[in-house]
């Protein structure tokens, strides 16, 4: 059994668990703490260190952390719902020093998409899989024949002159009080645009709203097969841990 810790940092909560990488599943309990107000790097790093201490590192070979930002060579190049001090931060080094060991830092949608390809809805799928997380914004992950193409940011595609996530994310549905049918019309427009650009073999839809997939996925009219994520809120944790193993130094 190969064990790793996965940590998923969000705008409101930070959750983590020990992962059995051979099975692609959580061992023991998942622990969650509130994201510190303001989302400052030092405060979040301290919370992650506390969480890792609570989980315990005995037998753990790798630690992976995912975060809602573009991540290039372990450095966060953007920030969403957290402090702007994250922009340009060498997160790999900062977290590694706090935890006393090497870690791997990754975008949260990329981690979730990789997990779905490894042990979720896209397991065994050949060709290009595109996972999107529909929440406050639209996160995206591209996995081609099992290889992650990081930092795709497809939520910021401009469709008919509009930033896609500003009108097609779940937050837009809630803000405008759209019915699922009305929202599905917007999602159809968005996913048709994406599939005409990239011609994927499969779309996977994640995010908390995927629990209600029966309400809207059948209404999205695209040529590409489209399915709900299977791993739900554990996808980021599992993917972060798996990628930490894959890219361990």
């Amino acid at each position: 059994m190969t064990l790793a810790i996965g940590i998923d940092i969000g705008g409101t909560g930070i959750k983590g668990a020990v992962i059995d990488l051979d099975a692609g599943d959580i061992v023991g309990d998942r622990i969650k703490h509130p994201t510190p107000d303001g989302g400052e790097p030092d405060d979040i790093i301290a919370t992650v260190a506390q969480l890792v201490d609570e989980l315990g590192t005995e037998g753990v070979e790798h630690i992976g952390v995912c975060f809602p930002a573009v991540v290039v060579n372990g450095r966060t190049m953007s920030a969403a719902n957290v402090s702007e001090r994250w922009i340009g931060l060498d997160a790999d080094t900062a977290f590694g020093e706090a935890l006393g060991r090497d870690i791997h830092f990754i975008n949260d949608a990329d981690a979730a998409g990789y997990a779905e390809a490894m042990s979720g809805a896209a397991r065994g799928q050949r060709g290009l899989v595109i996972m999107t997380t529909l929440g406050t914004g639209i996160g995206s992950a591209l996995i081609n024949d099992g290889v992650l193409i990081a930092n795709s940011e497809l939520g910021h595609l401009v469709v008919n002159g509009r930033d896609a996530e500003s009108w097609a994310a779940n937050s837009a549905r809630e803000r405008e009080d759209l019915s699922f049918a009305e929202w599905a019309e917007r999602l159809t427009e968005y996913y048709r645009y994406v599939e005409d650009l990239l011609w994927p073999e499969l779309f996977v839809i994640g995010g908390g709203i995927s629990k209600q997939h029966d309400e809207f996925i059948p209404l999205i009219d695209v040529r590409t097969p489209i399915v709900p994520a299977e791993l739900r809120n554990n996808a980021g944790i599992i993917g972060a841990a798996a990628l930490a193993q894959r890219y361990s130094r």
Side-chain angles (χ1 to χ4, degrees), residues 67 69-72 74-78 85-91 105:
F67 184 77
V70 172
V71 181
V72 178
R75 190 177 294 273
T76 47
M77 307 305 293
S78 64
R85 293 184 183 181
W86 285 94
I87 299 174
L89 179 72
D90 184 353
F105 212 77

Side-chain angles (χ1 to χ4, degrees), residues 44-55:
I44 287 180
I45 290 169
T47 301
V48 169
Q50 177 187 347
L51 197 155
V52 169
D53 185 61
E54 292 173 14
L55 290 169

Side-chain angles (χ1 to χ4, degrees), residues 57 59 136:
T57 57
T136 303

Side-chain angles (χ1 to χ4, degrees), residues 144-159:
N144 189 48
D145 286 339
V147 177
L148 174 67
I149 304 167
N151 298 313
S152 55
E153 294 295 307
L154 297 183
H156 295 297
L157 286 172
V158 177
V159 183

Side-chain angles (χ1 to χ4, degrees), residues 6-24:
I7 304 292
D8 186 352
I9 301 170
T12 59
I14 300 173
K15 52 186 181 287
V18 177
I19 306 300
D20 175 357
L21 294 175
D22 299 324

